[in-house]
Each structure stands twice: as C-alpha cells, then as structure tokens.
Amino acid sequence: MTLTPDIKSVREAYARDGVVLLRQVLQEEWLEKLRHAVDAEVQKGERYFAYKNMRETPGIFQDYCLTSDIGRRVAEVANSSWTSLIYDQIFAKEPGTKTQTGWHTDQPYWPVQGPIMTMWIALDPVDPDNGALEFVRGSHAWGARYRPFRTDQLGAFLHYLEKDNPDYIDMPDFEANRSQYDIFHFERMEPGDALAFDGMTVHSAMGNRTSTHRRRGYAIRFAVEGATYDPRDEVTEWLHDDTLTRGDAFRGGRFPVIYEAA
Ligand SMILES: O=C(O)CCC(=O)C(=O)O
C-alpha cells in the first residue's frame, strides 16, 4: 500500500513534466510545529536564501526529516529503494516581497549527480498572488546543464560561477522569452500540499504582491537510487563530506538514509 494515492499517474506526471503536485503530504501535527520553527528562524533577519540546513541541528526540522514519512514518499514518487537527505531550506516570501525568484535549476549547486528530488512543502496557501512557483515543463529531460550563478539578496543575477567548466552552458533568458517555453504553475496549493520536482527542472517563483498573505515554503532536497557524490570546490563546498569519494552512492555521512525498502 503506497502513501501516495494514484501513484502510477503521479510517477507519470513527474517523469513527463519534472514536477508533480501532491496533496496533503504534511500531517496537521507537523504543520503548526514547522510554521513556528520557520518563524523562529526568520526572526533572525537573515537574507532570503540564508535559511539552509536547519536539519543538521536538533529541533523540529531535524525531527520532521528523520521521523516523518517524507523519505518513504520521496522513494515512492521516484520509484527508488532508498532516500537520503541532502539538506533543507526555508523560502519565506513575506507580503510585499515583489521580487521574482529567478529562473534556475538546482542540481548544479549541489555535490551530486543523478536523480534528486525537492519536496517544496506549502505552510500557507500559495497562489499566483503570493508567490506560486513556475516550471518549464519537461525541462529536466533536456539534458541541459546550466551554469550556476551568484545572485544578490533578492535573487537577481550577479555573475556566473565555474565560467570555464565545459560541462555547463549559460542559461537562456527564460523570462524574456516566456512564449517559447511551456511554462506553467499550479493554481493553488493548500497548507500541507507539496511540489515534488526534479533537480534539473527549470523553475522560478513569482513575487508576493499581496499585503497580507504570507507564503512560507519548506523545501527539502533528497537523493535517491542512482545519485552519486560529485564535489566541485568552487560551488558545492558548503555541502561536502570527506567520508565520501567522488562517484560513491550519495548516502551516509552527512547525508543520512531516511528510508530504505525492506
Ligand atoms: O520558493 C521560492 O521562492 C523558490 C524555491 C526554489 O527555487 C527551490 O526550492 O529550488
């Protein structure tokens, strides 16, 4: 018995589009706890992209990652026999934050090759007014590896990293050429719903144009069967683990296996 209803069509959508919306992934007991934990982090007043890797410190984020059913869900959607944790991140786009999160893919920023999945869990209702995520349908399957770049505090492009790495190409201007791509979003997420998306899917997030509707997202990044360790000093050092060697399965050390099929 799977945790995810209609798992066959969920897997088909994930494989085809590179993203799928899962309803009510988060149980009520976790929702309030995570909201409080997010608010406590955000009070620290750091920049938008700074709330990372909370799960390495004892507390609610760690408890959720290690003891909830999220690892099993990831394995189900990815059709994997195991799930390991890469890291977690808060995206709190508060009312009046009009800035769009720029178009990007995630995988080039992490020391991992192969299949990885983000679960972006909505802690508030999310719609196009307060910061829905947008995706380029099917872009995970293009085989394009987009060069990582640094952004300013609000997510605007500053400069490319690894300029000489031939494995990566510069990113097209998706925003300026929207009509050339199959760009879509999910009209509404309820608290507890999650977007499962591939690390190679091109995505962005709208600004929060409202003056009253918070948009707190809790994103957890996972590796699954087939993912391997691939450190690149200029970009991924913050996630390195010296107990792993390039090419090892991406599991163990800093990256605990949180689900393994019996
Ligand atoms: O929520 C956002 O603003 C962006 C999320 C995102 O880009 C990600 O989870 O990779």
Side-chain angles (χ1 to χ4, degrees), residues 48 91 93 101 104 106 120 133 197 203 205 215 219 221:
Y48 189 62
F91 291 101
K93 205 165 256 202
T101 312
H104 65 282
D106 291 331
W120 192 102
L133 274 76
F197 57 93
H203 62 283
R215 195 225 65 173
R221 328 299 196 165

Side-chain angles (χ1 to χ4, degrees), residues 20-261:
V20 64
L21 172 60
L22 305 173
R23 296 289 183 193
Q24 294 309 296
V25 159
L26 200 66
Q27 296 83 6
E28 194 61 36
E29 64 189 282
W30 287 112
L31 182 60
E32 273 314 309
K33 287 184 190 163
L34 284 171
R35 280 177 170 160
H36 282 122
V38 163
D39 287 351
E41 281 296 308
V42 172
Q43 301 262 316
K44 294 179 186 163
E46 302 266 357
R47 43 169 286 185
Y48 189 62
F49 294 109
Y51 310 110
K52 284 200 285 213
N53 240 342
M54 296 83 58
R55 66 95 186 164
E56 283 194 313
T57 308
I60 295 302
F61 298 110
Q62 187 175 85
D63 291 349
Y64 179 70
C65 291
L66 297 183
T67 69
S68 76
D69 58 14
I70 192 71
R72 189 174 144 203
R73 277 184 187 272
V74 169
E76 276 181 14
V77 175
N79 207 0
S80 170
S81 64
W82 56 265
T83 307
S84 66
L85 267 174
I86 306 178
Y87 77 100
D88 60 343
Q89 189 162 8
I90 293 169
F91 291 101
K93 205 165 256 202
E94 301 293 358
T97 311
K98 298 205 177 75
T99 318
Q100 179 197 19
T101 312
W103 293 101
H104 65 282
T105 51
D106 291 331
Q107 186 141 18
Y109 295 88
W110 309 333
V112 52
Q113 289 295 329
I116 53 180
M117 184 190 293
T118 287
M119 281 277 184
W120 192 102
I121 303 170
L123 303 180
D124 296 302
V126 180
D127 61 28
D129 285 336
N130 75 343
L133 274 76
E134 293 191 282
F135 297 89
V136 182
R137 196 188 307 276
S139 49
H140 65 303
W142 293 346
R145 287 148 62 99
Y146 293 122
R147 199 177 303 291
F149 52 86
R150 227 134 333 269
T151 66
D152 70 10
Q153 308 230 355
L154 298 172
F157 178 92
L158 283 179
H159 60 84
Y160 278 117
L161 300 164
E162 294 188 323
K163 287 198 194 70
D164 300 325
N165 187 339
D167 294 341
Y168 293 89
I169 55 171
D170 293 357
M171 190 139 188
D173 190 342
F174 290 100
E175 192 57 29
N177 300 291
R178 291 180 70 100
S179 61
Q180 292 175 20
Y181 300 99
D182 185 355
I183 292 174
F184 75 109
H185 63 271
F186 297 92
E187 211 43 52
R188 188 173 167 94
M189 296 176 76
E190 298 298 339
D193 291 348
L195 292 165
F197 57 93
D198 188 286
M200 295 300 269
T201 306
V202 178
H203 62 283
S204 72
M206 302 175 192
N208 185 342
R209 299 189 297 253
T210 75
S211 54
T212 47
H213 294 79
R214 301 187 73 188
R215 195 225 65 173
R216 288 166 292 184
Y218 177 48
I220 316 173
R221 328 299 196 165
F222 303 94
V224 294
E225 211 172 329
T228 57
Y229 186 60
D230 181 33
R232 288 157 29 241
D233 284 346
E234 194 184 331
V235 179
T236 63
E237 199 174 8
W238 65 283
L239 265 182
H240 286 185
D241 180 342
D242 292 341
T243 66
L244 296 180
T245 304
R246 187 184 306 279
D248 283 354
F250 196 96
R251 47 181 287 167
R254 269 181 97 180
F255 313 111
V257 174
I258 55 165
Y259 171 78
E260 183 128 45

